[in-house]
Amino acid sequence: MRTAVLLALAAITAPALAAPTPTLQSLAPRLPGARVSVLPVLFVPRGTQVVTDGIDAAVAQQLAIARAHYQSLLGTTFAVTPGPVAVLNGAFSDEHYQTADRANRVMQELLAWRRTDRYTNVVFLVLYASGDTPIAGGGIPFNGAPGTGGGYIELDLASLTTDHPYPFQSSLVHELGHAFGLPHAECYGYDQMTASSIMSYDPRHWSSGTTPSATPGDFSPEDRAALALNQRVFPGLRYDGPAVDLARVQSCFHAPVSAEVSPLEDLVGVGFELYYDGARVNGPDAALYSRAQATESCTTSRAWYPGTRVECRYNGRVMR
């Protein structure tokens, strides 16, 4: 879930950037929509028994701590959907979900339950009530690049009260980063086990119950630039740090979730659009291309069809 798609793009050099700016904001598709909020959901596989006493208060407390952590690092923070933890009773037993395809299976049920699709403005924070086999944590944005909508996080319910199989608070902060569009620290060239970013695995960041680590982790310049792209989660967030390698930032965008989870729509004026002799020929997947993918696809099309008038657009603007 956390593996980024590597995309080819010539190196871009730029002075220190601020977001939103045309340069930084043009890296990702612009999907319109309301502000994204985090919705905690207790997911209970069929036949699993769960004691729900105290879950609402425990989740609210952990999210408040996570929000404060983001606030301290960014000067702003993410929104949480008001109300108690929602409960979704899974259609199948724990055995059905304990596969490599678990996340896709749970996401499909979540979207159907909420009567929404991949373009939702919700990040589902799933507390999975596992049976004998705990689940690993994970997080992903539905549509790949930062700023393209909601996402999905899964954490084992047991970790909420026991910090096993992983410390809940520090895992929550890390997986939220993934759902907001961040890759692992190693994708930007940092050491995954020792980097100061919360997107590393440094055990010095680990929390204990509701007590954060004394060194809870921060955001790298690349993390901050990527989060500044996510205006639907952090409206008004600006990046004014040191210059970052925009090619590398793009190369670390997540891949969108499978169309099997939720079908793709053909979105006009969003992401990459390709025209041959005035006729629009791109597929719906192109709406979720990064600028890097759009550049590569456009260059390839022009090389393959030298006798055709090829026009490429990104977020509604003609590419040169």
Side-chain angles (χ1 to χ4, degrees):
M1 307 174 60
R2 302 165 175 164
T3 304
V5 174
L6 300 181
L7 310 172
L9 180 67
I12 301 173
T13 57
L17 299 172
T21 67
T23 302
L24 187 58
Q25 294 295 77
S26 69
L27 301 185
R30 295 180 185 173
L31 272 69
R35 185 177 184 186
V36 170
S37 64
V38 175
L39 174 68
V41 179
L42 173 60
F43 187 89
V44 185
R46 190 180 65 197
T48 301
Q49 300 299 313
V50 177
V51 176
T52 59
D53 293 349
I55 286 182
D56 288 344
V59 171
Q61 184 176 19
Q62 293 284 6
L63 280 169
I65 295 168
R67 294 184 78 243
H69 191 176
Y70 273 73
Q71 179 75 41
S72 69
L73 294 174
L74 302 174
T76 186
T77 194
F78 58 91
V80 175
T81 304
V85 174
V87 179
L88 174 57
N89 293 305
F92 303 96
S93 67
D94 181 49
E95 183 180 9
H96 170 82
Y97 301 108
Q98 290 285 8
T99 68
D101 199 37
R102 177 187 55 254
N104 285 353
R105 293 178 178 185
V106 176
M107 280 189 275
Q108 286 176 307
E109 291 191 39
L110 283 168
L111 295 176
W113 167 63
R114 291 284 292 188
R115 298 182 180 179
T116 188
D117 55 27
R118 68 187 304 131
Y119 304 105
T120 181
N121 64 333
V122 172
V123 169
F124 295 96
L125 168 57
V126 169
L127 305 173
Y128 184 90
S130 62
D132 296 331
T133 306
I135 66 165
I140 192 171
F142 285 127
N143 297 311
T148 53
Y152 173 81
I153 297 166
E154 60 179 19
L155 293 169
D156 197 290
L157 174 62
S159 68
L160 177 64
T161 55
T162 68
D163 270 349
H164 294 289
Y166 31 74
F168 187 86
Q169 176 57 214
S170 47
S171 298
L172 172 62
V173 169
H174 178 101
E175 303 306 345
L176 283 165
H178 282 312
F180 298 153
L182 297 184
H184 279 143
E186 62 188 356
C187 195
Y188 296 141
Y190 301 104
D191 189 294
Q192 187 62 21
M193 299 307 300
T194 62
S196 65
S197 169
I198 65 172
M199 303 314 296
S200 76
Y201 289 154
D202 191 335
R204 291 175 297 181
H205 301 165
W206 291 357
S207 55
S208 177
T210 56
T211 304
S213 163
T215 54
D218 55 22
F219 288 123
S220 69
E222 293 85 356
D223 290 332
R224 292 172 180 272
L227 290 177
L229 282 168
N230 202 336
Q231 292 293 302
R232 290 178 63 184
V233 173
F234 305 106
L237 178 63
R238 297 180 60 83
Y239 177 69
D240 56 4
V244 294
D245 184 344
L246 299 183
R248 190 157 200 169
V249 169
Q250 277 188 102
S251 77
C252 292
F253 286 171
H254 289 268
V257 299
S258 167
E260 294 180 359
V261 170
S262 178
L264 293 159
E265 294 182 11
D266 187 20
L267 303 174
V268 177
V270 176
F272 178 58
E273 295 175 290
L274 180 64
Y275 293 80
Y276 290 163
D277 290 329
R280 188 170 177 268
V281 298
N282 59 276
D285 60 319
L288 302 183
Y289 281 11
S290 69
R291 182 76 184 211
Q293 285 176 296
T295 299
E296 183 178 26
S297 183
C298 186
T299 300
T300 300
S301 296
R302 286 170 172 163
W304 281 0
Y305 303 104
T308 300
R309 179 166 54 88
V310 176
E311 181 180 293
C312 304
R313 299 179 187 176
Y314 196 69
N315 287 332
R317 302 188 67 173
V318 174
M319 299 173 65
R320 302 298 180 186

